[in-house]
Amino acid sequence: MRTADVPALAPSIEAMNHIGLDFNAVGNHEFDEGAAELLRMQNGGCHPVDGCLDGDDFAGADFRFLAANVVWEKTGETVFPAYKIRNFQGARVAFVGVVTRTTPTIVTPSGVAGLTFIDEADAVNALIPE
């Protein structure tokens, strides 16, 4: 259940959609309400407790969340893509998303249930061959 001190992310997501954000590395606050809520922020839908407060269905993020070092405990797969690549005047640039591995110590246990946060450098270094 959402508490009054946890801000709803949907208005922030909608604002980032309007400014044309391409990617966003997840941070510790994205886990305040747990992985299911974070997936809803990506994919859309109304909050399971609060509903759609502004009267319309929340469409979700037009941009991609990135998280190279957050994996599902059961599968070892990343929750979101680890990176995305863009070309700038012929130069390929990788945007890699990482969140501090200490996230489980600074958010509620229910917010990170079922997830593993691996070392940031290890996650990024493992991507270099790609």
Side-chain angles (χ1 to χ4, degrees):
M1 176 180 249
R2 227 169 55 77
T3 60
D5 63 337
V6 177
L9 291 175
S12 298
I13 299 295
E14 290 172 338
M16 289 186 275
N17 285 346
H18 285 295
I19 64 171
L21 186 69
D22 290 325
F23 316 115
N24 184 56
V26 296
N28 58 291
H29 285 294
E30 276 81 7
F31 295 94
D32 286 343
E33 290 192 62
E37 177 62 3
L38 183 51
L39 290 169
R40 184 183 76 83
M41 290 293 102
Q42 179 71 82
N43 301 319
C46 293
H47 191 277
V49 174
D50 296 338
C52 284
L53 297 177
D54 63 358
D56 62 359
D57 192 31
F58 173 63
D62 293 339
F63 54 91
R64 289 299 305 168
F65 285 118
L66 301 176
N69 67 324
V70 182
V71 299
W72 296 108
E73 284 179 356
K74 289 184 179 181
T75 66
E77 298 292 321
T78 58
V79 175
F80 293 108
Y83 65 92
K84 290 292 182 178
I85 295 177
R86 288 288 188 258
N87 288 304
F88 295 96
Q89 299 177 349
R92 290 173 37 99
V93 178
F95 294 85
V96 180
V98 293
V99 61
T100 177
R101 68 182 173 267
T102 61
T103 296
T105 68
I106 55 179
V107 300
T108 61
S110 63
V112 294
L115 303 174
T116 299
F117 292 74
I118 61 176
D119 181 83
E120 303 93 333
D122 291 344
V124 173
N125 286 336
L127 296 171
I128 290 172
E130 290 184 40

